[in-house]
């Protein structure tokens, strides 16, 4: 069982209390009515699906109910860092441990 | 016990009930369960609200409710018959055993908030005895060690497939709040857990 640190509850909780909610830091274009269909497709549908580090939204749905962001490794399922919604994307050097070549590299 | 239930029933009786056409039946009425180390008892009727408010309104709401709304994760506050459980950064479950009209009480604070009466959406099971934590842990992933989940701690969490609000009332006594439609499932799974806790 994965333990995920909820930045609002300030402790690690079982994965059973959480639900994933897709990629984080996807910004909706401010001129949504003006963009082309291709640009809308890129914003709305296209995701990178990387092997290794990914930034995701998660929701502590059976806990405090809050959405937050997480930096996770898609290979090892390791959570490098979780942080509150609205906070900026953390610097890579601040998240990745020195021995992170396993799985986290592309 | 009967007095409190009668009081709550009278306060919340619908016109149909008053006319004797329908009677409200508690979802866990008559249930009993437990084992050598765990006692399961359906909780008495109580009034409850789901309360949402912004940080700047917490002070006024606390004054209105007569207790300090907890702002630290996993904590609760009790004053007399009334308890406020922290569910999220802006969300509380307030339970009043005397059946007070909590929506009106919250409104009297004058602070901006949202209060929804969930008195009959929720029901609760009181789990007590030396095996209480083990019985709950049969379906709940939270660490219930006293150092991590002390007396007074509370949390919304999961029990089997049902969402519950768990509150530690004493070292070996918990209140398990669940939605009434899940109550039979929760009581049944707790009964199984109680059996296992006594092994």
């Amino acid at each position: 069982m994965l333990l995920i640190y909820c930045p609002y509850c300030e402790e690690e909780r079982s994965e059973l209390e959480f639900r994933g909610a897709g990629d984080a830091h996807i910004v909706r274009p401010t001129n949504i009515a003006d963009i082309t269909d291709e640009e809308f497709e890129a914003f709305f549908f296209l995701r990178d699906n990387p092997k290794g580090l990914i930034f995701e939204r998660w929701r502590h749905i059976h806990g405090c109910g809050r959405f937050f962001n997480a930096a996770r490794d898609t290979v090892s399922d390791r959570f490098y860092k979780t942080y509150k919604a609205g906070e900026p994307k953390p610097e890579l050097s601040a998240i990745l441990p020195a021995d992170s070549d396993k799985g986290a590299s592309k | 016990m009967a007095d409190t239930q009668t009081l709550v029933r009278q306060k919340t009786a619908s016109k149909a009930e008053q006319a004797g056409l329908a009677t409200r039946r508690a979802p866990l009425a008559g249930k009993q369960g437990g084992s050598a180390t765990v006692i399961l008892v359906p909780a008495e009727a109580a009034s409850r609200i789901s309360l949402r408010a912004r940080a700047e309104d917490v002070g006024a709401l606390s004054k209105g409710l007569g207790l300090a709304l907890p702002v630290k994760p996993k904590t609760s506050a009790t004053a007399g018959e009334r308890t406020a459980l922290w569910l999220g950064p802006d969300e509380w479950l307030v339970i009043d055993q005397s059946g007070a009209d909590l929506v009106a009480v919250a409104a009297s604070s004058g602070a901006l908030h949202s209060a929804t009466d969930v008195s009959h959406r929720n029901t609760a099971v009181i789990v007590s005895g030396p095996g209480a934590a083990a019985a709950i842990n049969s379906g709940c992933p939270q660490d219930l060690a006293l150092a991590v989940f002390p007396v007074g701690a509370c949390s919304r969490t999961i029990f089997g497939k049902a969402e519950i609000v768990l509150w530690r009332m004493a070292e070996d006594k918990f209140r398990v709040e669940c939605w009434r439609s899940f109550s039979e499932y929760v009581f049944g799974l707790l009964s199984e857990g109680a059996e296992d806790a006594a092994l």
Side-chain angles (χ1 to χ4, degrees):
Chain A
M1 182 182 291
L2 288 176
L3 290 175
I4 301 170
Y5 183 87
C6 172
Y8 294 96
C9 293
E10 296 166 2
E11 70 174 10
E12 287 187 328
R13 295 284 186 83
S14 158
E15 62 172 311
L16 298 176
E17 293 186 359
F18 296 85
R19 191 171 294 171
D23 283 23
H25 304 292
I26 304 287
V27 180
R28 180 185 165 91
T30 50
N31 58 339
I32 196 81
D34 304 326
I35 63 175
T36 64
D37 285 354
E38 287 70 28
E39 285 166 331
F40 183 81
E41 180 197 26
F43 148 70
F44 203 75
F45 295 109
L46 301 186
R47 298 292 179 265
D48 290 340
N49 192 23
K51 181 179 181 183
L53 180 70
I54 189 171
F55 291 90
E56 292 173 316
R57 298 169 78 221
W58 281 76
R59 189 178 180 199
H60 196 184
I61 186 160
H62 298 303
C64 62
R66 283 302 172 119
F67 282 94
F68 60 92
N69 292 331
R72 185 177 68 94
D73 190 308
T74 57
V75 177
S76 65
D77 260 346
R78 177 172 172 181
F79 279 80
Y80 290 121
K81 186 183 169 71
T82 58
Y83 50 103
K84 290 181 179 177
E87 289 180 2
K89 203 171 181 173
E91 289 294 322
L92 280 181
S93 56
I95 326 168
L96 295 178
D99 63 337
S100 67
D101 40 34
K102 281 172 270 150
S105 56
K106 295 244 172 176
Chain B
M1 181 175 170
D3 284 342
T4 319
Q5 281 182 333
T6 314
L7 182 71
V8 172
R9 205 169 294 136
Q10 280 170 350
K11 275 180 184 284
T12 57
S14 65
K15 280 191 177 144
E17 281 183 87
Q18 285 162 356
L21 298 173
T23 45
R24 194 188 288 280
R25 193 173 163 277
L28 290 173
K31 287 259 186 203
Q32 48 185 340
S35 65
T37 58
V38 185
I39 304 166
L40 301 178
V41 185
E44 293 174 34
S47 55
R48 306 164 171 91
I49 51 168
S50 164
L51 180 67
R52 308 286 305 260
R54 295 180 305 186
E56 57 262 41
D57 298 309
V58 166
L61 268 170
S62 296
K63 211 169 283 174
L65 287 165
L67 50 73
L69 284 174
V71 291
K72 256 188 71 184
K74 236 168 76 170
T75 57
S76 65
T78 300
E81 298 279 272
R82 193 173 292 168
T83 299
L85 309 173
W86 186 97
L87 297 186
D90 60 358
E91 185 177 4
W92 297 266
L93 175 65
V94 186
I95 304 172
D96 192 303
Q97 312 273 7
S98 67
D101 185 354
L102 289 172
V103 173
V105 172
S108 72
S109 72
L112 184 63
H113 68 280
S114 152
T116 306
D117 193 316
V118 293
S119 305
H120 300 288
R121 183 196 75 180
N122 280 23
T123 189
V125 183
I126 308 294
V127 186
S128 57
I136 292 165
N137 273 149
S138 69
C140 175
Q142 290 242 357
D143 187 347
L144 298 182
L146 262 179
V148 183
F149 206 93
V151 176
C154 63
S155 171
R156 181 159 51 195
T157 180
I158 198 132
F159 182 69
K161 294 178 184 178
E163 186 174 288
I164 59 164
V165 174
L166 185 63
W167 170 33
R168 187 171 218 148
M169 304 166 77
E171 199 168 316
D172 56 359
K173 187 178 177 191
F174 294 84
R175 184 182 179 98
V176 177
E177 283 269 330
C178 63
W179 287 29
R180 62 179 292 143
S181 53
F182 289 109
S183 61
E184 199 151 328
Y185 169 83
V186 168
F187 200 91
L189 197 55
L190 276 172
S191 304
E192 299 287 333
E195 295 285 343
D196 290 347
L199 288 177

